[in-house]
Amino acid sequence: MSGLRRVVLDVDIPSSVSTVELANRLGRVSGVKAVNVTVTDTDVEVLGLVIVVEGDNINYDEVKRVIEDLGGAIRSIDQVVVGDYLLELNPQLLKER
C-alpha cells in the first residue's frame, strides 16, 4: 500500500502571508503533486484556510514545517487518504450521521 495521498487541513495563518507563496512552498514539498489553498475566513490579523495537498507519499512533517515557518498553525486535520489511489467519501454518508 502506498503512503499518504491526500491531507485536508484547517489552518490559521497571519494575514500578512501571501497565499500564493504558501501554495508555492507547499508545492515543493516531497511527494506533493497538487495544492489547493482556499480562504474560508478573514480577520485583520489572521486568515482561516482550508488546505488540500495531494500526491504520492507526501511528507506530512515537511507540510507542517512549511505552515509553521510562515507563522501558521494547523487547527485540525479534516481528512487523510492513504493507499494506492484516492478513495472518495460520499458526502451523503456524513449527512446521515
Side-chain angles (χ1 to χ4, degrees):
M1 182 178 287
S2 247
L4 186 60
R5 305 281 295 188
R6 175 191 294 146
V7 63
V8 179
L9 305 170
D10 181 2
V11 173
D12 284 339
I13 200 151
S15 57
S16 60
V17 173
S18 162
T19 54
V20 173
E21 178 184 357
L22 171 62
N24 281 328
R25 286 190 187 190
L26 289 171
R28 292 192 295 268
V29 169
S30 175
V32 172
K33 301 284 187 203
V35 176
N36 181 314
V37 176
T38 303
V39 177
T40 58
D41 191 30
T42 58
D43 193 324
V44 174
E45 296 180 11
V46 177
L47 293 176
L49 308 174
V50 170
I51 299 175
V52 180
V53 180
E54 289 187 355
D56 298 315
N57 296 312
I58 298 166
N59 183 335
Y60 174 75
D61 290 333
E62 197 175 336
V63 168
K64 183 178 176 186
R65 187 171 28 259
V66 166
I67 292 166
E68 291 175 348
D69 284 351
L70 290 172
I74 297 172
R75 292 175 29 151
S76 65
I77 300 172
D78 294 342
Q79 184 184 56
V80 175
V81 178
V82 175
D84 293 331
Y85 58 91
L86 291 174
L87 180 62
E88 299 296 335
L89 175 64
N90 180 344
Q92 189 63 34
L93 294 174
L94 296 175
K95 291 179 184 177
E96 293 173 359
R97 300 193 100 217

